Amino acid sequence: MTKIETDQNAVTARRDATREKLLVASLDVFGRYGFDGASTRRLADAAGVNLQAIPYYFSGKEGLYVATADYLTELISNHVGDIRQRVGARIVALDTAGEPMSPEEARAFLTEIAQSMIALFVSKKSESWARFIIREQMEPTEAFTRVYQGIMRPMIEIARRLIGTILNEDPVSEHVRLRAFSFIGSILVFRMAHAAVLAQMEWETAGPNEVATLRNLAAELVAALGPVKGGAA
């Protein structure tokens, strides 16, 4: 490798590092202050970069905001991508063969997903994610569309499919959709009401022992799922 090539690689690495710093900082700043409250100066200072880096890398604050949504989608995908791919591949294989998934297999998959998500939601790293997503839930923008299409919709649809199998109902039915959201909400509460959970449980933090307890709870929530007696309303 020539000196010119080495220098070019070094410049590229610095540029990538600057871009990464902006995305990491923006996820926290946009989550705390919203789009209007997050000035470019505040964003740049939080990232420890030059103010001109924002228009250079993202064409302005709007571009940075949308890129932050894509970055968030990527972060979450890195945590749930493996299970999503495995379940998705299994569903495709069964559909291709014209075979149904058994309720037992659906419960096993849903338990694994729920345990992975509940451990993620009580972790420190998910704080900034939650703030950003909550703001977009209240006042959706293009950023919500990115996050929803990239991670939320695929996971919700997998949950619907698994819950529909467990309930022996059509996964696209209104009842299964509502049951899926109710189930997901019972997991999300451990992030959205994190402070209340710690206070009520008298936990100082969600350490390994607490996470183990919550993983057991996730398994119980899946085990409690079952068809409504007399059929769905």
Side-chain angles (χ1 to χ4, degrees), residues 26 29 43 46 49 93 105 124 133 136 138 141 144 157 169 193 197 206 208:
S26 295
V29 173
L43 289 161
V49 303
E105 185 175 21
K124 187 75 174 177
I133 292 174
E136 282 297 316
M138 297 173 65
T141 68
F144 170 76
E157 290 181 351
E169 294 183 36
V197 170

Side-chain angles (χ1 to χ4, degrees), residues 6-155:
T6 300
D7 291 344
Q8 288 175 335
N9 289 340
V11 170
T12 299
R14 286 196 298 272
R15 287 177 176 175
D16 290 343
T18 298
R19 189 177 189 277
E20 180 80 8
K21 287 179 180 178
L22 271 169
L23 290 170
V24 171
S26 295
L27 187 54
D28 180 64
V29 173
F30 281 131
R32 289 180 183 276
Y33 304 104
F35 181 82
D36 293 333
S39 67
T40 53
R41 172 59 64 188
R42 174 173 271 163
L43 289 161
D45 287 349
V49 303
N50 189 285
L51 184 62
Q52 294 306 311
I54 294 176
Y56 178 82
Y57 288 101
F58 303 101
S59 300
K61 189 169 77 168
E62 292 82 359
L64 175 56
Y65 190 70
V66 172
T68 300
D70 290 336
Y71 178 66
L72 173 58
T73 299
E74 181 181 350
L75 287 176
I76 298 176
S77 293
N78 288 339
H79 286 275
V80 301
D82 177 65
I83 180 62
R84 187 173 73 176
Q85 291 177 2
R86 285 191 288 112
V87 176
R90 178 59 173 161
I91 289 174
V92 169
L94 289 171
D95 288 348
T96 300
E99 300 174 358
M101 179 181 289
S102 70
E104 292 75 21
E105 185 175 21
R107 286 187 190 277
F109 276 137
L110 189 60
T111 298
E112 184 177 355
I113 291 172
Q115 290 180 329
S116 297
M117 295 304 290
I118 204 168
L120 176 61
F121 289 155
V122 297
S123 68
K124 187 75 174 177
K125 69 184 70 175
S126 68
E127 285 185 10
S128 59
W129 306 358
R131 293 191 192 101
F132 190 95
I133 292 174
I134 289 173
R135 284 186 176 276
E136 282 297 316
Q137 290 283 344
M138 297 173 65
E139 297 181 11
T141 68
E142 173 63 20
F144 170 76
T145 301
R146 300 294 184 95
V147 175
Y148 176 74
Q149 295 293 344
I151 189 65
M152 295 177 69
R153 180 176 178 177
M155 291 304 294

Side-chain angles (χ1 to χ4, degrees), residues 174-192:
E174 182 180 77
H175 181 246
V176 171
R177 289 171 189 260
L178 290 173
R179 289 291 296 270
F181 274 113
S182 177
F183 178 80
I184 293 169
S186 66
I187 302 296
L188 284 173
V189 69
F190 291 99
R191 166 44 60 196
M192 305 311 179

